[in-house]
Amino acid sequence: MDREANLPVLPDKPPKSLIRPILNQESTSSSSSSSPELIRHLQAAFKRHRPLNMQTTTIGPRRSVVPKREASRGSRLVTGSTAEGQRSQDVVSLSQSLAANTLTQDTRNLATSVAGESIDNASITPPSVSGTINNMFGESFKPSDRQMDLPKPTVANLESKLDIGSRNENAHKKVQSLIGSTLTSHDMEWDATNQAEASNLGGRTGSRHQNQQTGESEISLKSEYKVSSSLAKTQGHLGEFRNFLNQPASQCSVMGSSCATTTLIHSSSAPMLNATTQVSRSYVEADRNANPHAVKSPGNLPSVHPSSKDRNILHANKDAPASEIPSSTIDTELRVKQTDKSTQQQCTTKVEVPVVSSTHGSDGQANARLPDELLTGVSSQPQKPDKHEKAASSKGTSAPRKRNYDPDLFFKVNGKLYQRLGKIGSGGSSEVHKVISSDCTIYALKKIKLKGRDYATAYGFCQEIGYLKKLKGKTNIIQLVDYEVTDKTLLQEVLNGTMSNKEGRVKDDGFIYMVLEYGEIDLAHMLSQKWKEIEGSDRTIDENWLRFYWQQILQAVNTIHEERIVHSDLKPANFLLVRGFLKLIDFGIAKAINSDTTNIQRDSQVGTLSYMSPEAFMCNETDENGNTIKCGRPSDIWSLGCILYQMVYGRTPFADYKTFWAKFKVITDPNHEITYNQLSNPWLIDLMKKCLAWDRNQRWRIPELLQHPFLAPPIPPERQVKSIQLLSHIAESFGSDDHKANTMISQLEQLLTDPAPLPRNDLLDSRDEKHQLLSRVSELCLQLQDLLLGLEGDKK
Ligand SMILES: Nc1ncnc2c1ncn2[C@@H]1O[C@H](COP(=O)(O)OP(=O)(O)OP(=O)(O)O)[C@@H](O)[C@H]1O
């Protein structure tokens, strides 16, 4: 089949908008007859009058202007009916047949946007930011979005209003200093920006200040007007904040990220958040020491006190009529009853139980009280409708939700509040926020908007919960701490494995919330940093570093393959460092393998271009023998090969092929030879080849890869060592600058040590191979002998 004949011709040149407007050149060429003086004036005039935003966003359409974390969002390819319409520019949408006449508009947009521009995934791009990325909600995501989302005016008042109790005083002071410092930093930003932003109490602008020092010098800019104008709001936030801190601790919190590690990793990028984690840990530990059984809460506030809403929940849990039960609680209860109880309890019951006991138990009565005026303050505060969520409960998918918290500051998942600390990143389908729970544990909260998506896609997103539940307790997979799907029917269907509404679209404004273990940095950024260190020096990648992380990558993928799950979107950005170890994330397009087969059935082609296997590009087409091309575990192995290649060489194997079609063509061509530049360790090349074999049946499986000589170098037997000693003795005669002799010696050494790179199992099985090997050895020996004789002749 001549696939290319059907391919639409895409422009080789990048779209105009992507062409860097080099004013100098244009001016020069268009006025070639003018005097150089005039040109200079013209250029100066252009520069002077260029609008500000043009300077920052229009010029320099470099892909490298991607914020940390955001950088690694690659071009995910989604095809056919399952392609969701609201992807960011990084997302490719292709019709299933890949024929020109069936290409969707999205595809054209993508293909155009990537033409001439590297679509090799921004994952190795330095985490510097100078541009703006639109996220799925149409909001502009700026680098500053990563910063604290706390309300500015809350700062000044919090410290004075939160009492410091005598018990755990140090720890509480730390919390307060944290609050003070983080909010103060935010204040600075707020004060420095225009007044219109003062009303944005969500603080979405975030702080661009990278350190406290800078912030301190600007604090004097704070105007009295701004503080007083937002006083009323501040009271409300204070109430919310206190209320938040009074929430019961989640037992799941022990799974949160190590604060110390977080501090270490992020020290350069998010100093304020570092302070947060560090202090929260101190607090948690101090409190634990003081009373290991108490539910943690800072300040001298009672240790456990539910919000007014929580009290409703408690009633409901006891004997209150159903009408009083908030919807989320009903849903939670429902889910616990209707689904796998043991698993559910881990995620939901754990969270609610402390609330019940603390309020209804005798201790609870004594402890769980906030000052009434504070509660009043919370409930009387005008509620800001969340533009994303206000319709979430409409049309019967879930009952109307009353809010007693500011959605700009908090997320609520299963009745538990999580305070926003900043946006970490946004993928093609989601946005991920760093949050802190009431027990001061840091989590990542992934929020996926469902509205407008086709049902199958929404179903797929929801399946991620299913996979993560299945992978609970697996240390090399990111752990799901809690979750909520506002569309209960959808969740129920996913959990039951049914799909009734395959063709429909999600109309209700539903969301999926997933509270996840927090990862400090992803592999894409680790690689980018590593390569920055290496570039400009004559060093190559440290093999031990490579072994350390490659082994973890393999083990993580092995875990899911053993569970019969194919990830389908393996790339550096989907491996997160948690407490020093890599964990796999993003099961958004993962698929389970049916028990009677080894492949998964896909309705569409999915993945991230640079890491997609040939069969992923051709999924569901027929090969030359008429067999349907399917994806299975080998498809993940190919992606692993691309990751390893990137770790070794600093770029993916097909990075030179810039456009989608160029990549498609080369990756699906069985005769294309991937270039492997020479390395000091030939095993490394062999290992990459084992993963990147075009024929998926030739690719090694993970158990084999874990035994590959690169990870498990063979120990040479005594005899071999002797032969190597002999060779090094001979090598000394030639000196290091005799390239020819040294090449022969190292070839001989390799042949004698281990006749690589033959597959280990059929090592020297055939007589012919042994014969060939011996003749090659003797040939090299004779040549070396000649060289040695020549050398001695020269000396005489
Ligand atoms: N648990 C976590 N801890 C820290 N950061 C996370 C976590 N989960 C996700 N992220 C960040 O958010 C980004 C997007 O997350 P994720 O890949 O799960 O979303 P997605 O919408 O499926 O993205 P994609 O389109 O790349 O598949 C990740 O690359 C990572 O940087």
Side-chain angles (χ1 to χ4, degrees):
M1 184 179 92
D2 187 2
R3 202 183 314 279
E4 281 175 64
N6 290 329
L7 304 181
V9 180
L10 289 170
D12 277 330
K13 281 186 192 166
K16 230 180 176 175
S17 62
L18 293 180
I19 299 172
R20 188 190 291 258
I22 307 168
L23 294 174
N24 291 356
Q25 282 178 7
E26 280 172 12
S27 311
T28 311
S29 59
S30 63
S31 56
S32 54
S33 57
S34 313
S35 72
E37 196 58 29
L38 177 65
I39 294 166
R40 266 199 298 280
H41 283 306
L42 270 173
Q43 287 170 351
F46 265 121
K47 279 180 190 161
R48 269 198 305 276
H49 292 109
R50 197 163 54 202
L52 196 65
N53 62 351
M54 188 173 157
Q55 287 167 16
T56 54
T57 55
T58 315
I59 288 191
R62 287 174 301 138
R63 186 79 176 195
S64 60
V65 289
V66 181
K68 196 173 173 95
R69 279 285 166 78
E70 289 281 336
S72 53
R73 316 316 313 141
S75 310
R76 178 183 281 182
L77 182 75
V78 179
T79 315
S81 62
T82 58
E84 75 262 23
Q86 298 182 31
R87 293 233 161 186
S88 66
Q89 281 196 343
D90 274 358
V91 180
V92 187
S93 198
L94 264 195
S95 71
Q96 194 161 349
S97 66
L98 294 170
N101 57 353
T102 56
L103 273 176
T104 61
Q105 189 57 42
D106 276 355
T107 312
R108 288 177 195 284
N109 291 344
L110 176 103
T112 315
S113 73
V114 296
E117 166 102 291
S118 172
I119 53 169
D120 189 39
N121 201 308
S123 55
I124 58 160
T125 324
S128 62
V129 186
S130 60
T132 302
I133 296 171
N134 290 325
N135 66 20
M136 58 178 282
F137 299 104
E139 296 166 345
S140 281
F141 170 54
K142 301 180 190 76
S144 52
D145 286 348
R146 285 183 59 84
Q147 305 300 326
M148 296 285 287
D149 280 349
L150 298 173
K152 305 152 227 16
T154 317
V155 186
N157 296 316
L158 262 176
E159 204 159 337
S160 61
K161 291 204 176 184
L162 278 175
D163 300 329
I164 298 171
S166 54
R167 192 166 67 87
N168 297 332
E169 189 170 338
N170 284 344
H172 299 156
K173 273 181 177 164
K174 281 180 185 175
V175 170
Q176 294 210 323
S177 76
L178 139 77
I179 296 162
S181 66
T182 51
L183 297 182
T184 304
S185 300
H186 196 92
D187 242 355
M188 293 176 257
E189 165 63 13
W190 182 58
D191 289 329
T193 52
N194 64 45
Q195 289 188 3
E197 287 183 57
S199 62
N200 178 9
L201 286 166
R204 286 192 179 279
T205 47
S207 169
R208 277 182 290 276
H209 300 289
Q210 286 298 304
N211 57 53
Q212 189 69 27
Q213 212 181 350
T214 323
E216 277 163 10
S217 66
E218 289 186 33
I219 199 160
S220 58
L221 295 173
K222 188 186 289 181
S223 86
E224 215 172 295
Y225 160 72
K226 286 170 186 167
V227 174
S228 58
S229 68
S230 51
L231 195 61
K233 193 82 180 175
T234 304
Q235 301 274 2
H237 288 308
L238 174 66
E240 282 178 24
F241 194 75
R242 278 192 165 200
N243 212 12
F244 167 67
L245 291 174
N246 268 306
Q247 284 200 119
S250 157
Q251 289 181 24
C252 301
S253 62
V254 291
M255 296 162 71
S257 166
S258 153
C259 301
T261 321
T262 308
T263 305
L264 192 70
I265 300 291
H266 277 305
S267 56
S268 61
S269 59
M272 293 188 298
L273 304 187
N274 297 342
T276 307
T277 38
Q278 201 169 31
V279 174
S280 42
R281 177 179 231 195
S282 312
Y283 161 68
V284 170
E285 282 173 1
D287 197 42
R288 220 178 262 144
N289 293 341
N291 182 1
H293 303 298
V295 176
K296 299 176 265 303
S297 94
N300 67 348
L301 301 174
S303 65
V304 177
H305 182 79
S307 66
S308 52
K309 184 167 181 177
D310 289 334
R311 282 189 291 163
N312 283 343
I313 295 171
L314 302 177
H315 269 297
N317 285 344
K318 272 270 184 177
D319 335 286
S323 59
E324 281 182 43
I325 305 171
S327 62
S328 61
T329 316
I330 300 172
D331 295 326
T332 306
E333 295 291 315
L334 206 67
R335 197 164 53 231
V336 171
K337 282 186 192 127
Q338 290 180 352
T339 58
D340 174 1
K341 284 186 181 165
S342 59
T343 327
Q344 283 294 340
Q345 278 166 353
Q346 288 172 357
C347 288
T348 52
T349 319
K350 269 184 182 179
V351 177
E352 298 296 345
V353 161
V355 185
V356 177
S357 57
S358 61
T359 308
H360 291 282
S362 52
D363 291 351
Q365 290 291 2
N367 290 337
R369 281 285 159 259
L370 266 183
D372 279 351
E373 75 277 10
L374 211 68
L375 284 175
T376 319
V378 172
S379 56
S380 63
Q381 186 194 334
Q383 292 304 307
K384 217 182 205 178
D386 184 340
K387 63 176 183 289
H388 304 314
E389 296 174 34
K390 66 181 170 196
S393 52
S394 64
K395 307 217 175 166
T397 48
S398 59
R401 305 168 126 208
K402 266 192 200 162
R403 287 221 179 81
N404 60 354
Y405 64 97
D406 185 339
D408 284 339
L409 295 176
F410 298 97
F411 290 105
K412 196 166 200 173
V413 181
N414 274 335
K416 257 180 72 75
L417 287 181
Y418 295 88
Q419 185 176 353
R420 294 167 181 247
L421 296 179
K423 193 191 267 182
I424 301 169
S426 43
S429 47
S430 67
E431 50 180 49
V432 183
H433 297 259
K434 183 173 185 175
V435 295
I436 184 167
S437 67
S438 58
D439 64 351
C440 297
T441 307
I442 302 288
Y443 294 109
L445 193 143
K446 183 168 174 176
K447 177 180 173 183
I448 305 174
K449 188 181 185 180
L450 296 176
K451 190 177 181 183
R453 298 184 189 278
D454 59 79
Y455 197 77
T457 304
Y459 190 95
F461 290 144
C462 209
Q463 273 182 320
E464 183 169 11
I465 292 175
Y467 293 126
L468 287 172
K469 272 156 65 78
K470 192 171 179 184
L471 295 165
K472 198 162 187 77
K474 307 279 183 195
T475 51
N476 40 27
I477 310 296
I478 209 82
Q479 292 295 294
L480 179 69
V481 175
D482 203 355
Y483 64 89
E484 185 174 348
V485 182
T486 56
D487 185 335
K488 307 298 170 193
T489 325
L490 175 66
L491 178 68
Q492 208 53 60
E493 288 215 324
V494 168
L495 294 176
N496 294 341
T498 54
M499 197 201 281
S500 58
N501 186 17
K502 205 171 178 181
E503 303 305 319
R505 294 194 86 79
V506 180
K507 294 199 190 77
D508 297 315
D509 202 2
F511 289 90
I512 298 174
Y513 297 96
M514 284 182 248
V515 182
L516 299 157
E517 252 183 322
Y518 177 74
E520 294 107 27
I521 187 173
D522 63 40
L523 182 63
H525 284 99
M526 287 166 65
L527 278 176
S528 140
Q529 283 173 12
K530 199 82 193 158
W531 277 97
K532 248 196 243 165
E533 284 167 24
I534 292 173
E535 264 161 21
S537 73
D538 53 357
R539 286 188 300 144
T540 53
I541 199 91
D542 173 0
E543 274 190 27
N544 287 334
W545 184 90
L546 208 57
R547 277 193 194 91
F548 183 69
Y549 288 114
W550 173 245
Q551 190 174 34
Q552 290 179 30
I553 290 169
L554 287 181
Q555 283 162 347
V557 180
N558 198 34
T559 299
I560 63 163
H561 282 187
E562 280 176 353
E563 294 292 327
R564 306 185 66 79
I565 296 170
V566 179
H567 189 280
S568 308
D569 195 18
L570 294 176
K571 57 185 175 184
N574 282 340
F575 290 90
L576 285 188
L577 200 66
V578 182
R579 293 183 291 274
F581 290 94
L582 289 181
K583 295 196 174 207
L584 187 53
I585 62 162
D586 191 6
F587 292 78
I589 56 170
K591 277 273 178 190
I593 305 168
N594 287 334
S595 51
D596 55 345
T597 172
T598 52
N599 287 308
I600 52 169
Q601 192 71 42
R602 283 223 172 270
D603 298 331
S604 57
Q605 293 157 344
V606 280
T608 301
L609 286 181
S610 297
Y611 305 90
M612 266 171 70
S613 66
E615 62 268 27
F617 275 96
M618 303 184 294
C619 210
N620 286 340
E621 292 183 30
T622 41
D623 63 16
E624 64 275 12
N625 302 321
N627 300 320
T628 308
I629 299 172
K630 290 189 177 162
C631 294
R633 295 179 181 103
S635 192
D636 276 351
I637 303 293
W638 174 281
S639 307
L640 288 178
C642 296
I643 295 173
L644 180 64
Y645 193 102
Q646 187 177 349
M647 290 169 88
V648 173
Y649 294 118
R651 61 191 175 85
T652 51
F654 306 98
D656 290 342
Y657 303 88
K658 305 290 181 197
T659 64
F660 167 77
W661 293 114
K663 272 197 205 304
F664 174 87
K665 193 176 145 193
V666 79
I667 295 172
T668 56
D669 177 4
N671 299 318
H672 173 79
E673 298 232 339
I674 297 172
T675 315
Y676 298 94
N677 290 338
Q678 227 193 343
L679 295 169
S680 57
N681 186 345
W683 284 121
L684 201 43
I685 295 184
D686 180 62
L687 177 58
M688 288 185 274
K689 286 183 175 171
K690 293 287 180 285
C691 300
L692 291 169
W694 195 89
D695 180 351
R696 58 188 179 281
N697 298 317
Q698 298 291 312
R699 285 174 220 151
W700 279 23
R701 292 288 182 104
I702 296 192
E704 289 171 297
L705 291 171
L706 281 165
Q707 292 305 315
H708 187 276
F710 176 70
L711 277 185
I715 300 158
E718 187 83 5
R719 280 196 315 278
Q720 288 177 357
V721 173
K722 279 192 183 141
S723 61
I724 293 166
Q725 279 172 356
L726 172 69
L727 285 175
S728 53
H729 190 60
I730 295 171
E732 275 169 23
S733 324
F734 292 105
S736 59
D737 51 346
D738 192 332
H739 187 66
K740 193 176 173 190
N742 281 309
T743 310
M744 278 188 214
I745 289 168
S746 52
Q747 284 176 2
L748 203 50
E749 185 181 330
Q750 174 164 353
L751 289 171
L752 293 172
T753 323
D754 205 343
L758 299 170
R760 284 164 71 75
N761 294 341
D762 20 310
L763 199 66
L764 290 185
D765 259 3
S766 92
R767 188 182 288 222
D768 282 352
E769 276 170 0
K770 285 177 200 161
H771 180 73
Q772 272 177 19
L773 189 69
L774 272 176
S775 12
R776 178 73 189 131
V777 170
S778 52
E779 191 187 325
L780 282 167
C781 286
L782 286 172
Q783 285 174 1
L784 266 176
Q785 196 181 9
D786 285 350
L787 281 177
L788 205 56
L789 284 172
L791 200 71
E792 277 160 13
D794 287 349
K795 278 183 189 162
K796 284 175 192 168

